[in-house]
Amino acid sequence: MSGRVLYETFLIASGASKVLKGSAELIYQKTFPSWYQDSKLWEEAKQKANEARSKAEKSVGIPPLDSEEVETDIFEIARQKANSVRSTAKVENSFGEEHRPKPPSKTKGPSNKRAFHTTSLNLNENQDIKTKKEKILQELAQPEFQMDQSSVPSTRLSRLFHYGSLAAGVGVGMAKETFKSYSSGKSPELKSLIMSPENIERIAKKFSKMRGAALKVGQMLSFQDSSVLPQDIQVILQRVQNSAHYMPQSQLHKVMTAELGSDWRTKYFTSFTDVPIAAASIGQVHAAVTKDLDPVVVKIQYPGVVDSIDSDLNNLLLLMTASRLLPAGLFLDKTIANARMELKWECDYIREAQSLDRFRELLHDDPVFEVPEVLHELSSEHILTMQHMKGTEIVKGKWDQETNNWIATNIMRLCLTEIFRFRFMQTDPNWANFLYNPETKKIDLLDFGASREFGEEFVTNYANCLRASVRKDRDRVEKYSLKLGYLTGMEKDSMKQAHIDSVLVLGEPFSPTDNAGSSYDFSSQDVTDRVRKNIGTMLEERLTPPPEETYSLHRKLSGAYLLCSKLQATVPCEQIFEEVVGLEYEE
């Protein structure tokens, strides 16, 4: 073995050991010291250990260690095979060659061919590794929304062990991939070891099961363009976006009892579906009918989510930083800080109810949009009951192109109106938050937990920067970018020009110069491709993170752009911009 291969093996083994060591330290530092000081936590750990042991002993698929069914007696197999051979020989002697019986089927008993192994066999486990890997890859490619049932890990200890087990599992997966690569004569890369199919599956499943901060950050990053995030991360985020777990009925009843009383089902509802119609990062949604026979949806927050935000995000930041899979120019610490703030907002259902009421008032006279009414008497900090909207998710309906154009046009109008007129925006870009009702010819709006205010000074400078982009004024784009904090003035010229070029490209759908009064065709747009050319430079040479307000704002605007492209819509963006924002600068 060459020195280079030995050196690479050492580096990879060292990386895997660091992941395992980090997970061990994470568990030790945050768990063991507190055990000696917190008897309650110690008792909780012992109880969980006893429950796990009892569950293993009673499990049908996992017999006790002293069970005789775990292994098959190889000597008994040998005797069966020998007897089978003798029987065959006797038949041949009695009836001749033409009457020879057919050999026994491979699936019905031992073969006549003598072949023995020196290891014991478990006849119940016949799983092919190649088939397993192909199954994993097929599941990763499935876009359909799937829900599984599992209890939400709601205590500090249980969530900590989930993160520790994830780190340890990824480390073990790296070691296995290292062995496979060198066994086949290949020299593996660290990134490919971390993002193996098994590890991708492991990370996606863990995020979906934990919910809360882990799942929310994954969903927030999933609306980044693929030019910003590595393809392997995109696969994980695709899975996170399209999968979710929901609470078992016992945990659901416990939460509802704590909020509305033990008789909540009979006191407040004529009917209530135990299986949710949707499950997300913070909570799940159930269909119900009130005593007044009004159809409603009940949004129920997962237990322990709000109390675990800080620790979850700290652990997630540690894992993501150690993996070094995300570029430094993303300023992951700032992204996490923004997620921390938004998560706490979204966990406050009283705040969301107030945002719903405010949007109902703001859009009261709008002929296109409908906002559900809140039932405050059936709502609390962790439960939100509201009118059941009857529309269909806009990307799931099979509308004609004229309807797609109408939907895209009005959602683009709403985005600009929210930021520049209301200075109050629902910033969650999830397309499932927009429903089209063909009977009323209106768009129903959902999920206002991420609604936020924008300051007057920020909105003025942002509008001026966008106006400069639309008018192709490079000097003013730079001027307002400095005011907003995108640039410090100390950047290299290559970074400055890359930023200005990107801003100008993003303004093209609204520009009179580019459109000359015509609608913008999102089905043939190449904005993403041209911005992609500058991403590398900006991630490498950026000196400061973008303004805090733009994390959620750009996520929403990006979602609107992608939605228009998804619908292959033609949108009069130039006209909408002139009506809502205007081309004249404001000082």
Side-chain angles (χ1 to χ4, degrees):
M1 186 178 290
S2 66
R4 178 184 176 185
V5 173
L6 286 172
Y7 179 66
E8 290 178 347
T9 304
F10 168 76
L11 289 180
I12 292 169
S14 176
S17 67
K18 287 181 179 179
V19 173
L20 291 170
K21 180 181 178 182
S23 63
E25 289 180 350
L26 176 65
I27 295 173
Y28 178 81
Q29 293 173 2
K30 294 192 175 183
T31 305
F32 293 156
S34 62
W35 281 2
Y36 301 108
Q37 300 172 8
D38 190 344
S39 59
K40 182 178 180 181
L41 189 60
W42 170 250
E43 290 298 327
E44 180 185 334
K46 288 202 302 182
Q47 181 181 356
K48 287 187 174 293
N50 291 333
E51 290 175 356
R53 186 181 302 111
S54 176
K55 183 178 180 181
E57 292 175 352
K58 294 180 180 179
S59 173
V60 175
I62 308 176
L65 293 178
D66 60 352
S67 172
E68 296 180 356
E69 298 178 2
V70 175
E71 296 183 348
T72 303
D73 188 346
I74 62 173
F75 298 105
E76 180 62 28
I77 295 175
R79 284 192 292 269
Q80 291 176 7
K81 290 183 177 180
N83 292 333
S84 177
V85 172
R86 291 194 201 98
S87 299
T88 302
K90 290 180 180 179
V91 172
E92 289 176 357
N93 293 333
S94 301
F95 296 96
E97 183 69 21
E98 67 276 14
H99 296 290
R100 178 177 296 179
K102 295 181 181 180
S105 172
K106 293 182 179 179
T107 60
K108 294 184 178 180
S111 170
N112 289 337
K113 184 177 179 181
R114 294 176 182 265
F116 304 120
H117 297 272
T118 57
T119 56
S120 61
L121 303 175
N122 188 339
L123 300 181
N124 295 324
E125 294 181 3
N126 187 22
Q127 190 173 23
D128 184 83
I129 298 176
K130 183 178 179 180
T131 303
K132 180 180 178 182
K133 184 173 182 179
E134 291 176 351
K135 181 180 178 182
I136 291 174
L137 293 176
Q138 289 173 0
E139 289 177 353
L140 293 178
Q142 292 177 356
E144 291 84 2
F145 184 82
Q146 301 173 353
M147 288 198 300
D148 296 310
Q149 182 178 178
S150 66
S151 296
V152 180
S154 57
T155 66
R156 177 181 54 172
L157 180 65
S158 61
R159 297 187 73 83
L160 179 60
F161 271 111
H162 272 284
Y163 279 109
S165 64
L166 174 60
V170 169
V172 171
M174 290 173 59
K176 290 172 60 179
E177 290 298 318
T178 302
F179 179 77
K180 290 179 183 178
S181 297
Y182 279 121
S183 297
S184 60
K186 298 179 181 179
S187 179
E189 296 180 357
L190 180 61
K191 179 180 176 182
S192 65
L193 294 177
I194 297 176
M195 289 294 116
S196 65
E198 289 81 1
N199 276 345
I200 290 175
E201 177 77 2
R202 181 179 287 113
I203 294 170
K205 283 186 174 179
K206 183 66 72 174
F207 278 15
S208 296
K209 185 173 183 179
M210 291 189 68
R211 284 150 282 193
L215 184 57
K216 185 63 180 180
V217 171
Q219 292 173 338
M220 289 170 67
L221 288 172
S222 69
F223 286 94
Q224 294 279 356
D225 185 75
S226 59
S227 60
V228 178
L229 299 176
Q231 182 61 35
D232 295 325
I233 298 295
Q234 285 287 320
V235 173
I236 293 176
L237 299 179
Q238 177 80 23
R239 288 296 309 277
V240 166
Q241 215 179 334
N242 294 319
S243 64
H245 287 234
Y246 63 92
M247 292 183 285
Q249 187 173 351
S250 58
Q251 195 172 34
L252 167 67
H253 180 73
K254 185 176 180 180
V255 173
M256 292 293 287
T257 297
E259 298 296 325
L260 297 179
S262 59
D263 58 346
W264 61 271
R265 189 185 294 267
T266 56
K267 182 177 181 180
Y268 298 110
F269 302 104
T270 300
S271 68
F272 186 96
T273 59
D274 291 321
V275 177
I277 58 177
S281 58
I282 303 299
Q284 59 192 45
V285 181
H286 294 255
V289 177
T290 67
K291 287 295 186 180
D292 295 330
L293 302 183
D294 294 324
V296 297
V297 292
V298 184
K299 186 175 177 180
I300 306 168
Q301 189 174 125
Y302 299 131
V305 167
V306 66
D307 298 322
S308 66
I309 291 175
D310 290 326
S311 60
D312 268 13
L313 291 177
N314 291 339
N315 294 334
L316 193 61
L317 179 60
L318 175 63
L319 292 174
M320 298 296 285
T321 302
S323 67
R324 298 184 180 180
L325 290 174
L326 298 180
L330 280 181
F331 291 94
L332 184 60
D333 57 332
K334 299 298 182 182
T335 301
I336 294 294
N338 179 260
R340 193 187 309 273
M341 176 181 65
E342 291 190 16
L343 274 166
K344 292 182 178 179
W345 286 347
E346 293 193 42
C347 286
D348 186 350
Y349 284 1
I350 295 177
R351 181 182 184 276
E352 181 174 356
Q354 294 171 342
S355 297
L356 273 160
D357 289 342
R358 183 171 177 180
F359 265 102
R360 276 181 62 84
E361 183 179 349
L362 289 170
L363 296 172
H364 181 266
D365 296 324
D366 194 290
V368 173
F369 297 105
E370 287 283 351
V371 179
E373 181 181 2
V374 178
L375 278 70
H376 291 278
E377 66 276 12
L378 297 181
S379 302
S380 67
E381 189 176 355
H382 303 116
I383 293 179
L384 181 59
T385 304
M386 68 196 89
Q387 175 187 358
H388 191 171
M389 310 305 284
K390 298 180 180 180
T392 302
E393 289 183 31
I394 51 178
V395 295
K396 291 185 177 181
K398 296 181 179 180
W399 325 116
D400 57 40
Q401 192 55 50
E402 182 180 357
T403 301
N404 284 344
N405 293 341
W406 181 85
I407 291 172
T409 295
N410 281 285
I411 288 180
M412 184 65 73
R413 173 177 67 85
L414 176 64
C415 285
L416 296 183
T417 300
E418 285 178 294
I419 180 65
F420 297 114
R421 293 282 182 87
F422 300 160
R423 297 205 302 271
F424 185 65
M425 174 179 271
Q426 187 278 95
T427 62
D428 189 342
N430 193 335
W431 298 336
N433 294 334
F434 302 95
L435 312 178
Y436 175 63
N437 189 332
E439 295 182 1
T440 63
K441 305 294 183 183
K442 289 191 174 186
I443 299 174
D444 302 330
L445 304 178
L446 307 177
D447 200 346
F448 292 84
S451 302
R452 62 164 297 168
E453 297 263 9
F454 290 91
E456 183 177 358
E457 181 180 359
F458 169 81
V459 171
T460 299
N461 288 328
Y462 192 85
N464 284 336
C465 188
L466 197 53
R467 290 182 181 111
S469 168
V470 168
R471 299 174 66 163
K472 309 294 184 183
D473 190 335
R474 299 182 68 89
D475 290 338
R476 285 185 183 252
V477 168
E478 180 180 357
K479 171 185 175 181
Y480 291 112
S481 293
L482 286 167
K483 282 191 173 185
L484 287 165
Y486 283 111
L487 301 173
T488 65
M490 303 296 291
E491 288 82 4
K492 295 180 181 179
D493 186 65
S494 57
M495 164 61 197
K496 182 176 70 174
Q497 297 306 323
H499 169 78
I500 294 173
D501 288 343
S502 298
V503 174
L504 292 177
V505 169
L506 292 173
E508 285 183 6
F510 308 102
S511 174
T513 304
D514 293 303
N515 299 288
S518 299
S519 296
Y520 187 81
D521 188 356
F522 280 92
S523 66
S524 60
Q525 63 89 17
D526 62 349
V527 169
T528 302
D529 293 334
R530 283 183 288 146
V531 170
R532 183 180 290 115
K533 296 178 181 178
N534 297 318
I535 290 293
T537 299
M538 291 190 287
L539 290 179
E540 290 178 5
E541 300 181 6
R542 179 184 284 166
L543 298 181
T544 183
E548 178 274 321
E549 296 92 338
T550 60
Y551 283 91
S552 52
L553 171 59
H554 284 179
R555 197 165 62 247
K556 177 65 176 286
L557 292 177
S558 176
Y561 270 59
L562 292 173
L563 176 60
C564 292
S565 296
K566 176 74 173 178
L567 298 176
Q568 296 186 322
T570 300
V571 179
C573 294
E574 177 187 339
Q575 178 184 345
I576 294 172
F577 188 87
E578 291 184 5
E579 291 177 357
V580 177
V581 186
L583 295 174
E584 299 301 320
Y585 296 105
E586 298 178 8
E587 300 295 343

